[in-house]
C-alpha cells in the first residue's frame, strides 16, 4: 500500500532509479577543485646574453587550493608539433584566486626555430597530475619569440 509511510527497513531505490553512484561528480571534495592556468611573459633583457628568458606564474581559478609541486613545461612548436624544452615545478601551495611565485626559464634561441613557445601547466611531457574543474585552459602560446 502506498500510504506514504516509511517501511521498516526502508526499501533501496537504486535498483529502480539507477542512482547508487549518482550525485556529485567529485564527492571527496564536495565539488571543489583547482583550476591551474599559466601566465607568461618573454623577457627581452635576456637577449643581450643570447638567450630567451620566460617568466611563468601559475594562477589558480578554482575553488580549492592548488598543491605545490605542479609541473610547468615549455615547448617549442615546430611545424605544428610540440617539442619539450624544459619542465619546472611550483614551490608553494597556491590559494584559490592567487598566483604562484615566478618561475624563470632560460631558453636557447636555436631551440625555437619557428619562434613559437607553448607554456603548459599541470603537464610533464604530456601527462597531467591534477584533477581540475577545467582542463582546456592549461596552455598559452607565445608567438614571435626571438632575439633580434
Amino acid at each position: 500500500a502506498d500510504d506514504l509511510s516509511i517501511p521498516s527497513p526502508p526499501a533501496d531505490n537504486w535498483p529502480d532509479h539507477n542512482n547508487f553512484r549518482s550525485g556529485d561528480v567529485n564527492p571527496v571534495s564536495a565539488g571543489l577543485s583547482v583550476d591551474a592556468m599559466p601566465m607568461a611573459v618573454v623577457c627581452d633583457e635576456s637577449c643581450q646574453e643570447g638567450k630567451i628568458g620566460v617568466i611563468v606564474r601559475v594562477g589558480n581559478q578554482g575553488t580549492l587550493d592548488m598543491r605545490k609541486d605542479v609541473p610547468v613545461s615549455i615547448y617549442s612548436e615546430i611545424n605544428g608539433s610540440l617539442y619539450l624544452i624544459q619542465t619546472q615545478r611550483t614551490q608553494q601551495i597556491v590559494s584559490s584566486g592567487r598566483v604562484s611565485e615566478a618561475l624563470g626559464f632560460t631558453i636557447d634561441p636555436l631551440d625555437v626555430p619557428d619562434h613559437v613557445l607553448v607554456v603548459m601547466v599541470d603537464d610533464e611531457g604530456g601527462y597531467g597530475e591534477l584533477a581540475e574543474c577545467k582542463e582546456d585552459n592549461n596552455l598559452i602560446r607565445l608567438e614571435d619569440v626571438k632575439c633580434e
Side-chain angles (χ1 to χ4, degrees):
D2 192 14
D3 60 4
L4 300 177
S5 62
I6 299 174
S8 181
D12 292 328
N13 70 352
W14 65 268
D16 296 324
H17 300 286
N18 192 24
N19 62 358
F20 183 70
R21 297 192 189 275
S22 70
D24 192 346
V25 293
N26 194 358
V28 174
S29 64
L32 302 175
S33 59
V34 302
D35 184 18
M37 61 171 287
M39 293 173 269
V41 63
V42 176
C43 300
D44 295 334
E45 295 84 28
S46 300
C47 284
Q48 296 171 3
E49 293 140 23
K51 299 291 182 184
I52 297 170
V54 180
I55 303 296
V56 179
R57 292 181 183 264
V58 179
N60 179 9
Q61 293 188 137
T63 54
L64 194 65
D65 289 350
M66 183 176 69
R67 66 175 174 78
K68 66 179 184 175
D69 204 38
V70 174
V72 179
S73 298
I74 293 191
Y75 293 83
S76 178
E77 185 177 301
I78 304 171
N79 295 322
S81 296
L82 298 180
Y83 298 90
L84 180 64
I85 296 175
Q86 188 179 2
T87 298
Q88 294 185 31
R89 291 182 170 268
T90 59
Q91 299 298 308
Q92 73 283 333
I93 293 170
V94 180
S95 299
S96 174
R98 301 289 191 179
V99 297
S100 71
E101 293 178 7
L103 299 173
F105 292 83
T106 302
I107 299 165
D108 187 328
L110 296 176
D111 290 336
V112 193
D114 288 358
H115 311 293
V116 177
L117 290 174
V118 175
V119 180
M120 288 192 202
V121 297
D122 187 28
D123 171 87
E124 186 169 26
Y127 300 98
E129 298 177 0
L130 296 175
E132 296 184 71
C133 59
K134 194 172 181 185
E135 293 284 352
D136 63 356
N137 63 349
N138 287 2
L139 70 86
I140 53 173
R141 294 179 84 240
L142 304 172
E143 298 180 0
D144 200 30
V145 177
K146 56 188 168 187
C147 289
E148 297 184 283

